[in-house]
Amino acid sequence: MASSSDVHVRICGQEIIKYDLEIKAIIQDIRECPGPQASLLEFNARVKEKFNQLRHRIQDLEQMSREQDKETDRLVIQLETESQRKQLLRKATKESLVHTSSDITESLMSISRMMAEQVHHSEDTVGSLVTSSKTVQETNEEFRSMTGTIHLGRKLILKYNRRELTDKLLIFLALALFLATVLYILKKRLFPFL
């Protein structure tokens, strides 16, 4: 019949195997997880929790090996403890890789958000540029139409200035002809003999 310490050693070994399988399952879930960041952080926390439980079970196994009366039982348990510690170290490396990949994923998501904000800002800037460009084109067209109107007004002013000069010359000639006619009439009436 097995002693109670043998039962405890077996239970501790089975729990170590159980935690080991649970850690592997969670790591597999992390590999298959498409996101979001909260899910990855939750998986990461579960892995850490299982590692701590596994570490405690290995410490319990080590304590049980010290409490063994038989040297052979103690050596067998110590070898098992050493084997489990080595596996824990390899798993700790996996945990650090999971943590690193979690950090990288978080960084990538942050970069993705920043890029999305930058694209949105660029879209706003392009929209502003398009609006400004339309305003500049409309202003340019107004200036062109105003320039045409100003040229037409200048031509009309020059034309009216020429007409004014022509009108003054015609008035002067008409006045001179009138005066010449008046003088001719006066000369013929006052001095008929000349």
Side-chain angles (χ1 to χ4, degrees):
M1 185 159 190
S3 70
S4 75
S5 65
D6 287 343
V7 171
H8 288 301
V9 168
R10 285 189 192 132
I11 290 173
C12 190
Q14 289 173 352
E15 287 179 351
I16 289 173
I17 291 170
K18 180 181 94 170
Y19 293 140
D20 180 46
L21 292 174
E22 287 175 356
I23 289 171
K24 287 178 182 176
I26 295 171
I27 290 174
Q28 185 63 33
D29 290 343
I30 290 173
R31 287 182 183 145
E32 295 172 358
C33 180
Q37 183 66 24
S39 298
L40 291 174
L41 292 175
E42 181 183 326
F43 283 135
N44 198 16
R46 285 176 50 199
V47 166
K48 286 181 182 180
E49 177 187 338
K50 293 300 177 186
F51 264 112
N52 287 333
Q53 291 173 344
L54 182 62
R55 212 172 271 122
H56 290 307
R57 279 294 150 218
I58 291 173
Q59 288 171 355
D60 289 346
L61 191 62
E62 185 176 22
Q63 182 63 33
M64 286 180 206
S65 73
R66 289 188 204 125
E67 294 172 357
Q68 291 297 314
D69 293 333
K70 288 182 162 180
E71 184 69 25
T72 55
D73 290 343
R74 188 166 40 90
L75 287 175
V76 168
I77 296 173
Q78 282 178 345
L79 285 174
E80 180 65 26
T81 303
E82 273 306 308
S83 171
Q84 292 297 336
R85 278 195 192 279
K86 287 178 184 176
Q87 288 181 13
L88 179 64
L89 286 175
R90 267 184 255 127
K91 289 180 184 106
T93 304
K94 286 182 183 178
E95 179 188 13
S96 68
L97 288 175
V98 166
H99 183 69
T100 303
S101 69
S102 172
D103 290 344
I104 290 171
T105 302
E106 184 177 335
S107 298
L108 288 173
M109 292 175 90
S110 172
I111 290 170
S112 175
R113 282 192 298 272
M114 288 174 30
M115 287 175 66
E117 290 173 7
Q118 190 64 34
V119 166
H120 182 68
H121 181 69
S122 296
E123 287 174 351
D124 291 345
T125 304
V126 168
S128 297
L129 286 173
V130 166
T131 305
S132 298
S133 177
K134 285 180 182 177
T135 305
V136 167
Q137 282 180 336
E138 290 170 359
T139 306
N140 190 18
E141 289 173 9
E142 272 185 51
F143 283 143
R144 283 184 184 166
S145 67
M146 290 174 77
T147 302
T149 305
I150 290 171
H151 283 307
L152 181 62
R154 183 172 175 245
K155 285 181 181 179
L156 288 173
I157 290 173
L158 288 175
K159 183 178 178 182
Y160 288 131
N161 282 341
R162 281 194 304 259
R163 280 206 177 162
E164 182 184 5
L165 182 63
T166 306
D167 289 347
K168 285 181 184 177
L169 186 61
L170 287 174
I171 291 171
F172 176 73
L173 287 176
L175 184 62
L177 182 64
F178 174 73
L179 290 175
T181 306
V182 169
L183 284 176
Y184 178 73
I185 293 174
L186 284 175
K187 180 184 162 208
K188 286 288 182 186
R189 295 225 173 160
L190 293 177
F191 308 107
F193 52 87
L194 286 173

